[in-house]
Amino acid sequence: MTEIKRLRRSRADRSLAGVIGGLAEYFGVDPTMARAAFLLAVLLTGGTAVLAYPILWIVMPDTPVDVKPVSPASGDHLPYGA
């Protein structure tokens, strides 16, 4: 039986509230690249994208303590810098 991916705030990769870390875990991308994409979105929208962060902080549930993050399969992507 396959595990269902759920969009949740990350406990393992958290800088402020774990929102972008949770999005990175959900989409299977590097959290640093997800943060860079968010920064780019903030710059391109004139700061309007900053409003999305607190909204997602409120809407996204936190990952339960006993749940490990679902990592992508090893063949799904190339490691950055390899």
Side-chain angles (χ1 to χ4, degrees):
M1 190 171 203
T2 60
E3 186 174 338
I4 298 172
K5 286 186 354 180
R6 299 191 184 271
L7 182 58
R8 294 187 172 155
R9 291 186 288 136
S10 175
R11 285 189 184 272
D13 193 16
R14 178 179 282 202
S15 290
L16 183 64
V19 170
I20 298 178
L23 288 169
E25 287 176 5
Y26 183 79
F27 290 111
V29 296
D30 182 48
T32 304
M33 298 306 287
R35 288 185 183 98
F38 180 73
L39 179 62
L40 184 65
V42 168
L43 294 174
L44 291 176
T45 62
T48 307
V50 174
L51 297 174
Y53 196 90
I55 292 169
L56 288 172
W57 189 348
I58 293 168
V59 173
M60 287 173 63
D62 206 4
T63 303
V65 178
D66 59 343
V67 175
K68 292 183 180 180
V70 178
S71 61
S74 60
D76 284 352
H77 68 285
L78 293 173
Y80 183 74

